[in-house]
């Protein structure tokens, strides 16, 4: 009751500040968002969904048989949940298999290492390869190195990922994973083995996508666990000449068809306008894809179901999109943007849940700067669920990150990610890492968000960038 | 200063209680134990030793080349540290190789599992084996099962290891690992795959020794990680007919020679009387053997070195024993007891450090009940290092656990083991799991213990059992 009164006061305050916009945070909206929260916090649906997906499907690497099984799983679930519409859209996705990855220090001491192939990597020669390693603190220091120092060696990027609630440590180190092979190859390296982009001390390597570049020779790329990277440092302290044996049999297999799976709650008065809440259905192959991104699938599906079950649907259509092949290059997200190009102007806002199941503590937007306070006023009932109203610097999440360039406003519902990168992209991404109560809080936040956005009368466009607040220019396609 | 006064008071108190025994807790002893503590807490030696062993040798499975490398490492270190005597004693140890271990649920859903072979297990047939699983809560429930329910199946013992500071959860579940294959085979099972004996939620399986029994068919035995055991339960909830594919290529290779490596600080006035502090040099093969038992090796070696460096040696000889092949059946410990049979009556007391590097919070003895208070009085300076004076129920540690039967008093320096079974017998047993300051506290405790025992004038024999306090009968050999 206290919260209810406070949110009303906040609304009135914001209404005063931005009187030029019609905010329409009417009492029924507040009541309904409160009910959505209560329903979400009492419902086992999201946990049941992520349990079902991880147990009955499990690992579902894009383009694999299990990926198609996940698509069928999603269609069946969404139909069974009674969404107004359920359909899928074909996406061509790259197919890659991990194979085996083994590494061993053979000099000055013999030490087997725990490694894993980075996604998209080529294999080593069948007999493996042997070379001395050369260590770099960061990708940047590799870029500054002399070719003569790197040539013929295995590059070891030793960049430690820092733990932060926001997960911002990942952004600082992930370049070494995604682009390290290009830089290493440009300097003549035979292979690259990075310190895992992860905050844990488990002897598990973190996989994740890497890229090659046309005109630059492809070299094998792997990650070693953090304890293994520590070990290499201690060996280097004793002898700078560390020789590694590396064997990898990962392989690319062309393309296959996968699907974005979509469910909708048809809007009551503006059915052609879309509020998109998404997650990605694919996962890496070593865990069961619980936090990445079974949790997101469960959160947005359960949130959509709560809207579906309302006695009166909100004005706009709420569209739940379960994207294909996020891990291997945001493939489903890009395909969606292309397939829905002509409809993007009707997308009121989009947000993706793809950061595990940690509690949401803040919502950031990316809207026209002058609309920020008004949309904050609209969002104010979310405060009662522990969600602060934040900045105008959202990216929206990986699969919708290309939409702002096309004029679509986005929101980022920021989750507590302090342990997300302990498990991310490892065999440790399993159901036990999800806190059911935190998952429910996420469902409440997404349900409230979707409902409030579907009812909002605030004009969010043209969106402005976070940095300089200039309007984003919509690219001509 | 406060502690110093208190320990003196405690000594006087105990002297009053047990006036029939000469306690001799003289001021010089108190001063020296205080100095030993200060030196231990200021010394990087133990950490340097465990770093050196894990980095320069690493995994050292009994009977492997790396095991012999560890023996050479130990001899060299002990000689370099300047012990009065350094020698080694040959031990015949069983040789076993892990090979590969793979398992996959193939029905009702396909799910690859993370497993590892239990030590000593035979392989599956080359083509692997396929069978339905049958789940048991405990080894005891397997023992009660009908043969017709078990025959032709893969037994899954699902006993969860509870977390305790004392590590007592392990004692409740480890029987399923060590003896499960015998019971399963007696009921006609094709194989056994247990829930890991570990307190973690990492997707790593815990290995450890298992046994067969003459006259009972050998069947393959493996452990799955805790998240995999959770997964199996969730699959069973959906369908009781769960079929597993299992492949293992582990193999026994007869016997090889390894060594107990021994160092001594020769006693000043009773050089033929022995205070034994030990640890084991071998490790499992998947980690680098940091907590099990690199830590113990480092603790007792560094403690011995502190005694070695005293201006005046204590009365008795302090013997540091680095046992061979503990993991594969206390082989070094048994060999020591046999080789030193005629000298055991001269062993004043023995203790092994084999529980990681958690802080020591208590010392338990196994001595004549009437001597307990007197030996507590002697040990009272240890209180200043955070060590409480405990019970008379010690086992002494695995490699000295057979000594009480032969009349040798033992002590158990109890460590905080709340996280020990998170890492125990997994690839996660790496150097980063050791807290250098806790390691130093252990060194201080062992140095104080060794010194005080080497000076003590309390008669500890004949030892009495903890339970009924009857004297232990020394077995005729």
């Amino acid at each position: 009751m206290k919260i209810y009164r406070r949110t009303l006061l906040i609304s009135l305050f914001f209404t005063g500040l931005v009187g030029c916009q019609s905010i329409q945070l009417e009492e029924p909206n507040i009541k309904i968002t409160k009910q959505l929260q209560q329903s979400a916090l009492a419902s086992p649906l999201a946990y049941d969904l992520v349990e079902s997906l991880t147990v009955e499907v499990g690992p579902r690497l894009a383009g694999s048989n299990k990926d198609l099984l996940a698509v069928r799983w999603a269609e069946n679930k969404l139909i069974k949940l009674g969404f107004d519409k359920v359909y899928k859209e074909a996406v061509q996705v790259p197919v890659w298999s991990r194979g085996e990855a083994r590494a061993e220090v053979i000099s000055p001491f013999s030490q087997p290492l725990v490694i894993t192939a980075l996604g998209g990597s080529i294999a080593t020669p069948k007999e493996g390869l042997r070379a001395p390693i050369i260590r770099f603190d960061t990708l940047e220091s590799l870029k500054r190195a002399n070719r003569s120092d790197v040539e013929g060696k295995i590059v070891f990027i030793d960049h430690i990922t820092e733990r932060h609630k926001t997960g911002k440590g990942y952004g600082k180190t992930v370049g070494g994973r995604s682009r390290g092979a290009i830089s290493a190859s440009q300097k003549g390296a035979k292979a690259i083995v990075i310190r895992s982009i992860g905050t844990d001390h488990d002897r598990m390597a973190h996989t994740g996508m890497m890229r090659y570049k046309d005109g630059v020779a492809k070299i094998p790329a792997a990650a070693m666990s953090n304890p293994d990277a520590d070990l290499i440092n201690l060996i280097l302290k004793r002898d700078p000449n560390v020789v590694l044996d590396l064997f990898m049999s990962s392989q690319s297999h062309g393309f296959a068809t996968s699907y974005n799976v979509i469910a909708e709650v048809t809007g009551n008065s503006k059915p052609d306008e879309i509020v998109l809440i998404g997650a990605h259905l694919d996962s890496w192959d070593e865990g069961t894809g619980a936090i990445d991104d079974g949790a997101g699938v469960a959160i947005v599906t359960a949130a959509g179901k709560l809207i579906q079950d309302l006695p009166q649907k909100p004005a706009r259509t709420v569209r739940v999109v379960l994207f294909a092949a996020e891990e291997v290059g945001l493939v489903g997200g890009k395909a969606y943007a292309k397939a829905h190009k002509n409809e993007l102007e009707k997308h009121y806002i989009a947000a993706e849940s793809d950061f595990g199941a940690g509690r949401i503590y803040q919502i950031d937007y990316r809207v026209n700067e002058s609309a920020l306070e008004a949309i904050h006023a609209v969002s104010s009932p979310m405060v009662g669920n522990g969600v602060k109203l934040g900045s105008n610097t959202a990216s929206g999440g990986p699969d919708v990150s290309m939409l702002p360039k096309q004029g679509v406003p986005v929101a980022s519902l920021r989750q507590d990610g302090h342990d997300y990168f302990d498990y991310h992209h490892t065999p440790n991404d399993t159901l036990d890492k999800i806190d059911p109560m935190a998952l429910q809080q996420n469902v409440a936040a997404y349900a409230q968000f979707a409902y409030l956005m579907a009812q909002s009368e605030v004009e969010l466009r043209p969106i402005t960038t976070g940095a300089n607040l200039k309007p984003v220019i919509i690219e001509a396609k």
Side-chain angles (χ1 to χ4, degrees), chain A:
Chain A
M1 214 40 202
K2 208 168 169 186
I3 290 161
Y4 172 73
R5 279 203 205 103
R6 195 175 64 205
T7 53
L8 258 183
L9 282 173
I10 290 169
S11 316
L12 294 168
F13 173 72
F14 279 116
T15 311
L17 278 175
V18 289
C20 54
Q21 293 234 15
S22 162
I23 286 172
Q24 299 275 343
L25 193 65
E26 290 162 0
E27 264 203 52
N29 282 357
I30 293 174
K31 194 179 156 198
I32 289 165
T33 51
K34 191 83 188 154
Q35 284 167 351
L36 288 170
Q37 182 182 344
Q38 284 167 349
S39 302
L41 298 183
S43 168
L45 177 60
Y47 194 83
D48 289 349
L49 285 168
V50 66
E51 178 185 311
S52 172
L53 179 58
T54 55
V55 171
E56 295 160 28
V57 181
R60 45 199 183 276
L61 186 62
S64 67
N65 290 338
K66 299 263 266 180
D67 183 30
L68 291 181
L69 190 61
V71 168
R72 281 202 295 280
W73 174 92
E75 279 188 287
N76 291 340
K77 286 288 177 195
L78 294 169
I79 289 167
K80 213 165 180 179
L81 289 170
F83 281 95
D84 291 332
K85 284 187 195 166
V86 176
Y87 54 102
K88 63 178 191 268
E89 297 177 344
V91 181
Q92 296 307 301
V93 304
V95 184
W96 175 84
S97 61
R98 177 170 306 283
E100 282 183 80
R102 296 191 300 269
E104 185 168 359
V105 175
I106 57 152
S107 171
F109 315 115
S110 139
Q111 287 274 13
L113 303 179
V114 173
I115 68 163
T116 196
L118 294 182
S121 175
I122 61 165
T124 60
K126 275 178 190 162
E127 66 280 11
L129 63 82
R130 173 172 297 183
I133 68 164
I134 179 164
R135 178 192 170 282
F136 295 99
D137 283 331
T138 62
L139 174 62
E140 288 61 43
S141 59
L142 164 63
K143 286 180 177 172
R144 286 193 302 268
N146 294 323
R147 186 184 169 88
S148 58
D149 292 332
V150 178
E151 200 157 21
K153 295 192 178 138
I154 296 173
V155 162
F156 164 44
I157 299 181
D158 191 31
H159 205 165
I160 293 172
T161 302
E162 291 170 3
R163 185 183 301 279
H164 288 286
K165 182 180 176 183
T166 61
K168 70 181 179 184
Y170 184 73
K172 293 180 187 171
T173 53
V174 72
R177 188 191 80 203
S178 56
R179 300 188 306 275
I182 299 169
S183 295
S185 178
Q186 283 169 333
K187 308 264 182 190
K190 282 173 129 175
I192 179 168
V193 184
I194 63 165
R195 176 189 279 272
S196 279
I197 312 302
T199 47
D200 57 299
H201 288 275
D202 286 318
R203 209 166 184 205
M204 285 186 196
H206 294 239
T207 191
M209 206 57 192
M210 53 80 59
R211 291 181 221 149
Y212 294 117
K213 189 175 170 180
D214 287 345
V216 179
K218 294 180 178 183
I219 58 173
M224 68 179 85
S225 83
N226 276 308
D228 287 275
D230 295 345
L231 180 65
I232 296 278
N233 279 290
L234 292 170
I235 298 175
L236 284 167
K237 198 173 85 176
R238 287 159 169 81
D239 185 340
N241 301 305
V242 175
V243 180
L244 207 69
D245 269 2
L246 181 68
F247 171 81
M248 293 165 58
S249 59
S250 43
Q251 219 180 326
S252 287
H253 309 271
F255 285 81
T257 302
S258 185
Y259 299 89
N260 289 333
V261 184
I262 301 172
E264 290 183 5
V265 183
T266 307
N268 185 34
S269 55
K270 302 170 185 170
D272 59 334
E273 295 189 21
I274 309 296
V275 171
L276 188 161
I277 54 174
H280 67 85
L281 192 52
D282 67 310
S283 78
W284 282 109
D285 50 329
E286 296 189 292
T288 59
I291 61 164
D292 189 12
D293 184 25
V297 167
I299 290 162
V300 298
T301 302
K305 167 68 174 165
L306 287 172
I307 310 287
Q308 179 69 48
D309 288 350
L310 288 173
Q312 190 176 353
K313 303 296 186 297
R316 293 188 182 86
T317 289
V318 173
R319 181 178 286 174
V320 176
V321 184
L322 306 181
F323 292 100
E326 186 272 347
E327 296 295 2
V328 297
L330 317 184
V331 181
K334 289 172 188 167
Y336 179 90
K338 199 172 168 190
H340 294 263
K341 192 182 155 191
N342 296 329
E343 195 196 31
L344 291 184
E345 62 186 342
K346 293 286 193 182
H347 281 58
Y348 182 73
I349 198 163
E352 184 177 26
S353 170
D354 182 21
F355 202 55
R359 282 174 188 273
I360 296 171
Y361 60 90
Q362 183 168 306
I363 182 166
D364 293 334
Y365 283 97
R366 193 164 179 190
V367 298
N368 190 285
E369 188 68 13
S370 71
L372 186 64
E373 286 179 356
I375 201 68
H376 275 179
V378 168
S379 321
S380 60
M382 295 179 72
V383 173
N385 186 39
V387 182
K388 285 190 300 184
L389 307 175
S391 74
N392 197 24
T393 60
S395 73
D399 288 301
V400 301
S401 62
M402 56 293 288
L403 297 185
K405 274 192 191 164
Q406 310 209 40
V408 179
V410 293
S412 291
L413 284 73
R414 306 287 185 194
Q415 293 175 267
D416 184 333
H418 79 277
D419 64 353
Y420 184 67
F421 292 110
D422 288 348
Y423 310 124
H424 179 250
H425 294 186
T426 73
N428 238 346
D429 180 0
T430 50
L431 186 62
D432 52 288
K433 310 308 182 302
I434 291 179
D435 170 358
M437 289 179 70
L439 191 73
Q440 288 172 324
Q441 189 262 1
N442 273 263
V443 176
Y446 269 89
Q448 292 183 324
F449 168 75
Y451 182 78
L452 291 165
M453 294 304 112
Q455 290 283 79
S456 165
E457 298 199 10
V458 178
E459 177 54 70
L460 301 178
R461 301 187 181 214
I463 64 171
T464 33
T465 62
N468 53 19
L469 305 182
K470 284 180 190 160
V472 168
I473 306 305
I474 299 173
E475 283 178 358
K477 288 272 172 183

